[in-house]
Amino acid sequence: MERIAQSYPEHIRAVAKLGLPLILSNVAQFAIHMTDTIMLGWYNVTALAASTIAGTMLFVVFIVGAGFAQAVTPLVASAAEEGDETQVRRVTRMGLWLSIFYGLAVTVPFFWAKDILIAIGQDADVAQLAHYYLQITIWQMIPALIVMTLKSFLSALEHISVLLWATVGTAVMNGFVNYALIFGNWGAPELGIRGAAIASVTVTIVSVAILVGYTLRVLPQYQLFKNFLRSDREILNRVFRLGWPIGLTSLAEGGLFSASAVMMGWIGAIELAAHGIAIQLASLTFMVHIGFSQAATVRAGRALGRKDPVSLRRGGITAICMSGLFALVTSALFMLFPEFLVSLFVDPDEPARLTLVSVGAQLVVIAALFQIVDAAQVLALGLLRGLQDTAVPMVMATISYWVIGLPASYVLAFWFGYGAAGLWMGLVVGLAVASVLLMWRFWKQLFKQFQIT
């Protein structure tokens, strides 16, 4: 067991040891999506726009179900700190149950994806390509949720290296399959956006196989799949109660960006494609903050399990400062090199290249403004999840994103005529409000639970 009075350098080392592999794993996972965006951007702008809106729809649905998987982390971390292997198994098994049930329920509506996209005002050509993409990628929903649950289980037990290497391996695999199937290289058929979809499904299934195999071989003491079909109502309810607010919180934030993609589609296809590129860049840096947040959840959960408020407070400060420092660096890069970063995603021979790079660069500069507040709000969420506090943060996030952020985006973009740039400025407002409210909630809960003076 850790010493109660760990120093800040010890916390830095502990957060780095846990957080760095998680960050690299998240970046590798994101590289799969980044590869799709880059290769489809080089294929043609319409395919890029279609994958942007289709990926947005899929992501919104996915992150709600991922809440059940994320609930596994603090519960397993706390149980592991107490040495309760049976509880670890029960929590993870019910997390897998909820993930599978959710995946089955949300698959059906995607068969009418084209009609849904046209109904929300998307271009007919973009909607048709997005429909092709979604008819394939929807089949990765259940495997992807299983992967999320197993990652939460392994993260809570601090078995991080397998997550990193499995994700790096599948990211490389995705690149090769994309290159073959999108463009028709190495004798493969040229499938365009369908090829990207097939690659995504393939690597997700491979990820499931790797994580299941590792769990069975390296962690047999947990007997994770023993009596898998046996129900456990008590733990099912507990995971559900903790997980649904996490899912809805993620929906509130992800939905904010998804709604912004829909509104960007109202402005034009070029703006939507530029939005997709800027989102990819902002999301890449966000993977680092998610890694710190995940590390904070694990360490907060373990500190809670051993009732150690000093480690909880110092660990929280450490993770927040480390994430904030990285945010300052990326903000500077976004401000200094916006055109160069956007140009990496666009074919030099693309007729709309100059316009696309110009619009995308504006959005990247604005993205620099919300690096710090975005880092702060996701770190606060991670710490609160470690404290198993998810319901009130869900309300705070929803108000910040949807009552304040989204209306601000609409007003700035359409009423004041600032277009794509105005739409993104509204996102900054919503994230800033969320960061203040959620940080305040964490410190209040810490002082309240442990009577810290």
Side-chain angles (χ1 to χ4, degrees), residues 213-259:
Y214 179 88
T215 299
L216 292 173
R217 183 175 65 85
V218 179
L219 299 168
Q221 68 271 30
Y222 292 104
Q223 303 180 74
L224 203 58
F225 303 102
K226 179 182 178 181
N227 299 320
F228 186 76
L229 298 179
R230 179 185 296 172
S231 64
D232 189 337
R233 177 174 293 185
E234 176 193 351
I235 299 301
L236 184 72
N237 289 338
R238 188 174 178 186
V239 176
F240 180 82
R241 286 195 303 269
L242 188 63
W244 73 263
I246 295 176
L248 291 184
T249 301
S250 299
L251 175 64
E253 181 178 10
L256 174 68
F257 286 93
S258 299

Side-chain angles (χ1 to χ4, degrees), residues 410-420 422:
Y410 185 86
V411 168
L412 291 171
F414 299 104
W415 287 12
F416 287 92
Y418 293 126

Side-chain angles (χ1 to χ4, degrees), residues 292-297 299-301 312-313 315-317 319-320 376-389 439 442-443:
F292 282 125
S293 179
Q294 291 169 332
T297 298
R299 290 188 58 77
L312 183 55
R313 175 171 57 83
I317 292 172
I320 290 167
Q377 61 96 19
V378 77
L379 256 294
L381 283 171
L383 289 165
L384 287 165
R385 288 167 188 171
L387 293 177
Q388 299 180 24
D389 179 24
M439 278 294 176
F442 168 66
W443 292 111

